[in-house]
Amino acid sequence: MTDAPHAMNRRQLIRHGAWFGAAVGLAVVGGEVISHVAGTADAARIQGRPTLRFAQVSDSHIGFLGKANSNVASSFGQAIDRINNLGYTPDFVIHTGDLTHLATPGQFDQVKQMMTGLRTPHVFTVPGEHDSIDDGGQKYRSAFGAGTRGAGWYSFDIAGVHVIALVNTLNLKKLGHLGVDQLEFVAKDVAPLPSDTPIIVFSHIPLFAMYPDWGWGTDDAAQALSYLRRFSSVTCLNGHVHQLFSKTEGNVTFHSGTTTAYPLPPPGDGPAPKPVTLPAGKLHDALGIREVSYTRGHTTLALKDKALQ
Amino acid sequence: MNVTKLAMAVALAVSGVSHAYLYIHGYQHIPTIGTAFVMQASVSFALALLILIGGPSWLQWAAAALAGGALGAFVLSRTVGLFGFSEQGWQPSPHAAMSVVAELTVVGLWAVSVIGHRLVGHRFGRPDTRYA
């Protein structure tokens, strides 16, 4: 073996080992420095107190009975505890739909009662398709529709940020749908706003084509987004897909949130998005809540996803 | 100082700066992608420095593998997505374009260096110095 033409002697091995060690050591030190700088930058942002801090929770599916999660009420309760223990009071909490699994009055009553336990001044919701199974969203609007317009859409301003809640789960064929009335609402709603107003849009079904074959998209979202093109910061938050996913298209960033009930498969993994039963002890890693903060002067929102674990 | 090595170190540093900048300015919050960005940046800086001070030639192979991997990840993020993350075109500008150019430069310089070395070695019957 020692006669092989490319064999390395002991001295060469030690020398290369030293170079390798130096590479690993420098990479670790570099990583630490970058993380520290990032942490300092974040801390500086936080020290100036974000202009706005809120939490997102989604797809609680109260009333679901299945192997994928035998107690969705308990996991939703844990999500509420998680939000109540963020270390600050969020300015508001949004629930991005599928509050209930079968839209029964009892399920709406239960989820509404549970959400009164959220320690925040405001809770905002939009319906998921599970919340409007048999009545076009009537029961949902009876429970959560106070102060909304049309079929449950609305907008509000808080800390200089304009927030729009859209309903894209009514008149469903395959994809989500906003409809003419709601598109008109969006156009008129944003028309008087200056272009530097940060915009946050939340809906149940994604406003981007995440996986249209499974209905994970909204057929007329492009029209709504065209009204938002002139704004420098547009962030769209959604539920429905039960998993984290981010995408940027020009000035618009889309963030799908996870669920508090049960995971769904990644896009295209299998014939249909059926609840996934995870091995014992793994479920809570897939469930979670999201913290969102906005600091004036920044074009992007800071998101932090937290598992229920 | 070998010009190829100097150019490779500079290109690596540019790619590292782009990834570090994006990590500090928001990407740290994107699951998995954030970690990948900080690793890409720190390994790029380490390799750039070691190549600059005259490290062995396998460092250039490692640099080419790192740059090639980053280019592959860029393509995936613009097509089928990567760990649930996807972006469009040359966003975020100008860092996407800067890092792609830098990584193509690293891969190109590595290819030139390897091919050139083999041609010269073949022509003049030089001994293999891979482990020198």
Side-chain angles (χ1 to χ4, degrees), chain B residues 7-93:
Chain B
M8 191 179 264
V10 170
L12 274 172
V14 169
S15 170
V17 165
S18 275
H19 282 84
Y21 179 88
L22 291 173
Y23 176 80
I24 291 165
H25 290 86
Y27 279 55
Q28 57 181 302
H29 300 294
I30 302 174
T32 312
I33 298 297
T35 311
F37 266 57
V38 72
M39 284 173 66
Q40 205 282 350
S42 58
V43 176
S44 290
F45 290 139
L47 291 175
L49 182 63
L50 295 177
I51 288 171
L52 204 60
I53 62 173
S57 56
W58 61 259
L59 288 168
Q60 294 169 57
W61 286 70
L66 180 72
L71 287 169
F74 179 86
V75 171
L76 288 176
S77 70
R78 266 74 188 165
T79 51
V80 295
L82 182 68
F83 302 117
F85 173 77
S86 64
E87 288 186 298
Q88 272 210 332
W90 296 102
Q91 295 289 337
S93 178

Side-chain angles (χ1 to χ4, degrees), chain A residues 151-170:
Chain A
W153 54 81
Y154 54 98
S155 69
F156 58 93
D157 293 285
I158 183 165
V161 176
H162 190 68
V163 184
I164 307 171
L166 297 180
V167 178
N168 56 358
T169 53
L170 306 177

Side-chain angles (χ1 to χ4, degrees), chain A residues 6-8 12 15-16 19-20 22-23 26-27 30-31 34-35 37-38 41-42 45 244-250 302-303, chain B residues 20 23-25 28-29 31 38 41-43 45-46 49-50 53-56 58-59 84-88 91 128 130-132:
Chain A
H6 304 308
M8 203 187 289
Q12 286 170 327
R15 195 191 307 154
H16 286 287
W19 281 108
F20 182 76
L26 281 172
I34 295 166
S35 299
V37 172
D42 246 20
R45 243 173 265 161
L244 302 175
F245 194 98
S246 299
K247 184 183 175 85
T248 304
E249 287 180 11
L303 273 70
Chain B
Y23 176 80
I24 291 165
H25 290 86
Q28 57 181 302
H29 300 294
V38 72
S42 58
V43 176
F45 290 139
L49 182 63
L50 295 177
I53 62 173
W58 61 259
L59 288 168
F85 173 77
S86 64
E87 288 186 298
Q88 272 210 332
Q91 295 289 337
D128 193 307
R130 277 183 298 173
Y131 299 133

Side-chain angles (χ1 to χ4, degrees), chain B residues 26 102 122:
Chain B
H122 179 73

Side-chain angles (χ1 to χ4, degrees), chain A residues 57-277:
Chain A
V57 65
S58 197
D59 294 84
S60 45
H61 286 268
I62 295 298
F64 171 81
L65 296 169
K67 273 199 308 182
N69 185 346
S70 55
N71 195 345
V72 289
S74 167
S75 46
F76 187 51
Q78 287 172 38
I80 291 171
D81 288 344
R82 202 88 167 87
I83 292 171
N84 288 341
N85 289 294
L86 288 174
Y88 60 88
T89 303
D91 294 308
F92 58 88
V93 174
I94 58 170
H95 191 306
T96 41
D98 281 354
L99 297 107
T100 69
H101 195 61
L102 296 172
T104 66
Q107 290 171 6
F108 277 120
D109 189 43
Q110 185 180 2
V111 74
K112 194 169 183 179
Q113 287 214 24
M114 290 182 79
M115 284 166 64
T116 58
L118 281 164
R119 289 202 282 272
T120 178
H122 310 284
V123 176
F124 298 104
T125 63
V126 285
E129 78 282 6
H130 281 265
D131 301 315
S132 50
I133 284 173
D134 53 356
D135 63 354
Q138 289 278 1
K139 288 192 288 289
Y140 164 80
R141 286 192 293 279
S142 300
F144 294 99
T148 65
R149 312 197 14 201
W153 54 81
Y154 54 98
S155 69
F156 58 93
D157 293 285
I158 183 165
V161 176
H162 190 68
V163 184
I164 307 171
L166 297 180
V167 178
N168 56 358
T169 53
L170 306 177
N171 308 308
L172 278 178
K173 291 188 178 81
K174 184 173 183 183
L175 293 167
H177 185 73
L178 295 164
V180 176
D181 292 348
Q182 196 167 197
L183 289 170
E184 199 176 307
F185 160 75
V186 175
K188 284 185 180 162
D189 185 58
V190 300
L193 299 173
S195 299
D196 59 352
T197 308
I199 306 284
I200 297 171
V201 181
F202 68 98
S203 61
H204 180 63
I205 297 176
L207 293 175
F208 65 102
M210 180 165 163
Y211 196 69
D213 282 357
W214 285 358
W216 291 0
T218 301
D219 57 11
D220 49 359
Q223 183 72 35
L225 294 172
S226 71
Y227 304 134
L228 307 177
R229 287 275 172 251
R230 68 185 173 88
F231 293 95
S232 51
S233 168
V234 181
T235 306
C236 298
L237 304 171
N238 65 271
H240 190 55
V241 301
H242 294 215
Q243 58 197 286
L244 302 175
F245 194 98
S246 299
K247 184 183 175 85
T248 304
E249 287 180 11
N251 64 327
V252 187
T253 310
F254 303 92
H255 297 283
S256 297
T258 189
T259 168
T260 69
Y262 52 82
L264 289 175
D269 184 6
K274 301 281 184 203
V276 174
T277 304

Side-chain angles (χ1 to χ4, degrees), chain A residues 27-51:
Chain A
V28 171
V29 171
E32 282 294 322
V33 170
I34 295 166
S35 299
H36 180 75
V37 172
T40 310
D42 246 20
R45 243 173 265 161
I46 290 162
Q47 256 183 4
R49 182 147 174 356
T51 318

